[in-house]
Each structure stands twice: as C-alpha cells, then as structure tokens.
Amino acid sequence: MEIYEPGPGQKTPHRPQHHSNEERVFFKRSAFNDWTPRWEKIAFFCLGFFGLDLISLVTSFIIGLTPLVETNYVRAMSLNNFLAYLFLFGAFLAFLFFDGRKSWKRLFEDFKDPHFLAYGAAGLLGIYGINILFNLLYSLVPFYGDNENQLLIESCIKNDPVLMFFSVSIFAPFVEEFTYRIGLVDSIGHKRRWLGVLLSSVIFGAIHFDWSSLFSYIIGGAESGIEPEAILNELMNLPVYIGSGVVLGFVYALSGKISSSLFSHALNNTISFVVLLA
C-alpha cells in the first residue's frame, strides 16, 4: 500500500491503523475506512443528505424564474434533478482530488481489482431478488404499484432521456454510495458495521418516500385530495427501498470496496433506464 509522504509545510494525512484478526472477520476492511478521517466521512454524509435538498432548492428557484415550469413541468424537474446531482457529483470529486491523501488513487485501485465485478453482480441479483419477493407478497393487493418517486423519475426519463441518463446512471449512484456507504457506514466504525448497514438502509429508503403526501394526508385527511390507497402504496414500497439499501450496504461491507456497491447501484439503474425506454 502506498504511503503518502507530505512535503514541507503539509500536514501528515490520516494513516491506516493496525487491526487484529478478530476485526477482520466477516466484514472486510475498506481502504476509505482506514485512510479517511471520521470528520471527512461525516462531511460526505452531510454533503449528500442535506446538500441535495439545499442545492435542489436553489436550482428550482432559478429554474422557477424561467417560463420552463409553466410550459413543461416535467422537463423543469429533469433539469433540476440533473443540476442538483451534477453539483454534488462535482463536490464529491473535489473532496477526493484535493484532500491531500490522494483518495482518488484508492478509488481507482478499487476498480483495478476484478473481484468488484463479482460482488457487484451479486448485489444486482440481490436487488432483483428483493423486488421479486415483494412483488409476490403484494401480488394480491390491487392498488400496489410504483410509488411517486419512481413515477416521477419515469416521466422525466421519457421526457429527457439524455439528462436523466447522467442523473440516474452516473451521478445519483456515485453520490448516494459515497453518502450512505462511505459517509454513514464507515462513520459508525468497523466494529459496528452491521449497525451502519442497517441505519444507512433505513435512511436510503426514507429519501425515496413521498413524505409530503403523507403529511398532507395526516393534516388534511380526505380534504387533501390524496387517496388512502396512495399512502398505503408508498408505505408498501418503503421496505423495497430499504431492502435494496441493505443489499448495497452488505455488498460494500463484505467486499470492502466502494466500487462493488457503486457497480451494483449504477448497473441496476442503467438496466431499469434502458428497459423503460425500450
């Protein structure tokens, strides 16, 4: 493993510590976990979790100043989604390239190991398995279907496939994996990796839930115009997203490589994108 030697006036970077064999059981150690200080992992999580909403708020305000929202609302949403993830993607890359520890090299080293393909493929099968399982469980529920988050993404893909390809297949998987796997799983620590996987999965599911409809229905009831079946459908979709988060978390924790969960996530999104267009 390369040791980064600081030049004159540079701070000594975070160095990997020696760990006993007991800590290596089941979950493999991650290069990012060993080389990245905890404050930076927490910064990854805060940047992805809070930054997405803040950037979306700014970009939506700017887009709202144009006639695009009134003339083509779906295109405005596509553009807003693209810009928000683009800015976050750039922010994460800036962290990797300018943190003084050459973290970008460790990311490339992750992809040099062909084992990430096997873990990534297993993760993809796991995600499909989760979806098949819940489709079977909900097969007798007449109103079960895609939730609001998925329906909006599908509309945006059909309306602006080029913008949404970058958002769905490249930017979003990268941002979400660094936010929830490195940012949250690694922040909690190696000994409590299982807790990090569970917590990141719950939050990963929650960000794909339509909370605004739920709160509107709780406050306004029938007068909100939201059908109870729509809320139940959202709740039924929640464990599907959480289950997918569990799969991605275990792929990362078991492989010790962010490239594995990133590959699973990006491949799953890309296949869904192609199937939808086809």
Side-chain angles (χ1 to χ4, degrees):
M1 179 178 288
E2 176 185 345
I3 300 297
Y4 171 73
E5 295 296 338
Q10 290 180 296
K11 295 182 180 179
T12 302
H14 183 74
R15 295 179 181 274
Q17 302 174 353
H18 297 288
H19 303 276
S20 64
N21 290 332
E22 286 76 12
E23 290 183 81
R24 299 175 183 270
V25 175
F26 194 64
F27 289 141
K28 293 184 180 179
R29 301 208 64 85
S30 163
F32 280 99
N33 194 30
D34 288 339
W35 281 84
T36 307
R38 180 163 291 180
W39 73 263
E40 192 166 317
K41 300 169 193 173
I42 295 174
F44 279 149
F45 173 71
C46 292
L47 177 63
F49 185 74
F50 298 107
L52 183 62
D53 286 336
L54 290 175
I55 295 173
S56 294
L57 187 63
V58 173
T59 53
S60 63
F61 174 77
I62 295 173
I63 294 172
L65 298 177
T66 71
L68 185 61
V69 174
E70 295 181 0
T71 58
N72 194 329
Y73 175 76
V74 176
R75 175 156 294 173
M77 293 299 295
S78 301
L79 181 59
N80 186 48
N81 184 277
F82 172 80
L83 291 175
Y85 275 110
L86 174 62
F87 283 127
L88 275 181
F89 180 73
F92 277 109
L93 287 183
F95 259 108
L96 296 177
F97 278 90
F98 300 110
D99 67 354
R101 284 174 295 278
K102 298 185 179 180
S103 296
W104 60 273
K105 282 193 174 183
R106 267 162 278 284
L107 178 61
F108 284 123
E109 287 170 1
D110 261 16
F111 282 98
K112 286 181 181 179
D113 186 348
H115 288 96
F116 87 87
L117 293 172
Y119 281 104
L124 179 66
L125 293 177
I127 293 173
Y128 279 129
I130 292 291
N131 280 273
I132 291 172
L133 173 62
F134 280 99
N135 279 328
L136 289 174
L137 290 175
Y138 297 152
S139 60
L140 297 179
V141 181
F143 57 81
Y144 174 69
D146 293 332
N147 69 341
E148 286 299 318
N149 174 78
Q150 183 63 27
L151 291 173
L152 179 59
I153 290 175
E154 290 177 0
S155 297
C156 291
I157 289 174
K158 292 175 181 178
N159 196 75
D160 286 288
V162 176
L163 285 182
M164 291 304 295
F165 171 78
F166 286 99
S167 299
V168 169
S169 298
I170 300 175
F171 299 153
F174 188 93
V175 167
E176 291 177 359
E177 289 309 303
F178 269 78
T179 300
Y180 298 105
R181 255 52 77 181
I182 291 179
L184 192 53
V185 174
D186 280 352
S187 294
I188 292 178
H190 186 76
K191 290 184 177 180
R192 296 182 295 275
R193 212 77 183 272
W194 61 270
L195 178 60
V197 170
L198 179 61
L199 183 59
S200 66
S201 303
V202 172
I203 297 178
F204 181 76
I207 66 170
H208 293 92
F209 185 83
D210 185 13
W211 293 99
S212 60
S213 294
L214 176 62
F215 292 144
S216 297
Y217 182 76
I218 291 175
I219 295 172
E223 295 180 358
S224 65
I226 300 173
E227 297 292 333
E229 289 82 1
I231 302 300
L232 288 174
N233 185 60
E234 286 289 329
L235 292 171
M236 292 171 70
N237 272 274
L238 185 58
V240 179
Y241 285 105
I242 293 175
S244 298
V246 169
V247 170
L248 292 170
F250 269 102
V251 165
Y252 174 56
L254 290 172
S255 67
K257 297 181 181 300
I258 192 61
S259 55
S260 298
S261 59
L262 182 54
F263 179 65
S264 294
H265 198 155
L267 187 58
N268 175 69
N269 286 13
T270 302
I271 291 174
S272 299
F273 177 88
V274 172
V275 169
L276 180 62
L277 288 183

